[in-house]
Amino acid sequence: MRPYSTSSYLCSMEKREYIHGYTEKEQNRLIEQGRILSEFVFDRLDFSDTEKLLEVGSGVGAQTAILLEQNPDLFITGLEIETLQIEKARAFFSSLPYAESRYEFIQGDASDKKIRLKNDYDAVLFIWVLEHVVEPMAVLDNVKRFVRQGGKIFAVEVFHSSLHLYPHCPNAMLFWKNSIEYQKSIKGDADVGHRMGNLLHDAGLKDIKIAPYPMQFGKYARKKRAKMLDYWTNLMASAVPNMLKAGFTTAELWKKAEREMMALQNNDEAVFYYSFVTVEATV
Ligand SMILES: C[S@@+](CC[C@H](N)C(=O)[O-])C[C@H]1O[C@@H](n2cnc3c(N)ncnc32)[C@H](O)[C@@H]1O
């Protein structure tokens, strides 16, 4: 599918493409993102029955670190496709004494049937992962093998079409739509959260619970609004290099989009709205 404002793009499907890339700047952004969003992301996840957790797409361990700190009885296996992320995670964890002996990071594609793990995990967790995966069903089918009978699948996933900014920001919204199209062009789905319930159903899971998580901040929540707008501008910026390369934005469009995001910061009438989706199901 074509982007909204540009005429041509290149998209190599020969190699795995990832919208944010694996630069050190991006890896540090993930760690910061984990902290900024933790009050929302973990709000509806209950790990009280979980001692052994498989975190799929664990990245640099940003969520792993928070989970281990908040849940002292937890052991986490992080399964991550990219070696650079695992190296960063191991370096990050060497400075976290509370995590000692309570984690392992292993490299692998979560859809790879050759992955061998014990089938005694209490739960599998995905946070901001399935949007990047070509076949989410293949991943769900594959990793549910490792969960004990009655164990859980938890996921916190994006629904990027839900973003709404007030007052209207035409360039920021155009840039955002183009980023959704870019994700599609590399076989991801920036709206995967919206169909998580269907995916869990098709994977044969039971007791499916869907909890859309709306975040809306206006003048009644100025601190949260400022923090979220700043975070969102950085999130958008993280996609710029790859979108530029693939022809899904121009430097001019991004400059205008960024200016609009900054103008929102200075507008007391501004309202930020976005809804991600938390889901839970039983194996
Ligand atoms: C946006 S990051 C999120 C990382 C982490 N969950 C967090 O919230 O900080 C998505 C991660 O999923 C990884 N990933 C993508 N496809 C994967 C796959 N098929 N198997 C394992 N990891 C994958 C990426 O390499 C990346 O590190």
Side-chain angles (χ1 to χ4, degrees):
M1 188 171 296
R2 282 189 171 271
Y4 287 75
S5 74
T6 50
S7 55
S8 69
Y9 61 91
L10 294 167
C11 173
S12 157
M13 293 316 300
E14 278 100 60
K15 62 180 177 55
R16 180 169 52 85
E17 293 188 62
Y18 175 57
I19 187 166
H20 305 292
Y22 294 109
T23 60
E24 198 179 355
K25 186 175 175 198
E26 168 57 19
Q27 292 179 322
N28 290 331
R29 189 192 69 81
L30 282 179
I31 293 173
E32 206 194 334
Q33 166 178 273
R35 291 193 197 109
I36 291 172
L37 299 181
S38 66
E39 65 178 294
F40 313 110
V41 166
F42 294 114
D43 194 21
R44 295 193 184 154
L45 297 177
D46 178 5
F47 294 104
S48 54
D49 289 334
T50 306
E51 283 181 12
K52 198 174 166 194
L53 178 70
L54 175 60
E55 186 193 354
V56 177
S58 47
V60 300
Q63 314 290 354
T64 327
I66 296 168
L67 282 161
L68 290 176
E69 194 172 21
Q70 289 180 351
N71 302 277
D73 295 327
L74 212 52
F75 178 92
I76 301 181
T77 300
L79 172 61
E80 165 60 47
I81 200 167
E82 174 56 52
T83 321
L84 289 171
Q85 302 287 72
I86 292 182
E87 282 167 10
K88 174 75 175 181
R90 288 187 180 137
F92 173 39
F93 271 62
S94 66
S95 66
L96 302 178
Y98 65 81
E100 208 183 324
S101 324
R102 297 175 55 212
Y103 70 91
E104 61 183 349
F105 290 109
I106 56 175
Q107 191 276 331
D109 177 343
S111 64
D112 185 351
K113 294 254 178 255
K114 292 196 286 294
I115 292 176
R116 294 274 170 267
L117 287 172
K118 284 193 178 160
N119 61 350
D120 63 351
Y121 284 86
D122 297 306
V124 166
L125 171 69
F126 300 89
I127 304 183
W128 319 132
V129 177
L130 291 171
E131 65 175 302
H132 304 291
V133 163
V134 177
E135 286 187 78
M137 267 310 293
V139 169
L140 284 171
D141 268 341
N142 198 31
V143 300
K144 76 176 191 212
R145 293 184 293 144
F146 308 126
V147 182
R148 65 166 170 79
Q149 200 60 33
K152 299 278 184 196
I153 303 272
F154 296 110
V156 181
E157 291 293 346
V158 296
F159 178 24
H160 278 0
S161 292
S162 69
L163 179 70
H164 195 93
L165 302 169
Y166 178 86
H168 183 48
C169 300
N171 293 292
M173 290 310 290
L174 178 59
F175 175 87
W176 189 245
K177 273 187 187 160
N178 287 352
S179 77
I180 294 172
E181 293 306 322
Y182 171 61
Q183 276 281 65
K184 278 187 203 160
S185 80
I186 57 173
K187 307 275 184 232
D189 180 0
D191 285 333
V192 72
H194 193 51
R195 58 191 183 97
M196 275 309 297
N198 287 353
L199 290 167
L200 294 173
H201 173 269
D202 290 350
L205 299 165
K206 296 175 289 188
D207 308 324
I208 298 168
K209 296 192 181 90
I210 313 287
Y213 199 110
M215 301 187 292
Q216 178 161 321
F217 307 120
K219 58 173 77 168
Y220 44 86
R222 287 192 179 96
K223 266 195 190 154
K224 282 189 176 163
R225 178 179 65 186
K227 201 160 96 169
M228 198 54 72
L229 286 171
D230 185 48
Y231 163 73
W232 218 265
T233 310
N234 289 331
L235 175 67
M236 287 169 148
S238 73
V240 171
N242 282 338
M243 284 174 64
L244 278 172
K245 265 189 237 156
F248 275 78
T249 187
T250 59
E252 292 70 39
L253 175 62
W254 168 238
K255 213 185 281 170
K256 286 183 194 162
E258 196 179 24
R259 245 185 257 132
E260 285 176 355
M261 294 303 286
M262 280 169 186
L264 285 182
Q265 286 279 19
N266 297 318
N267 184 346
D268 200 34
E269 294 304 319
V271 182
F272 171 91
Y273 179 89
Y274 179 83
S275 179
F276 61 87
V277 183
T278 301
V279 295
E280 171 185 331
T282 305
V283 175

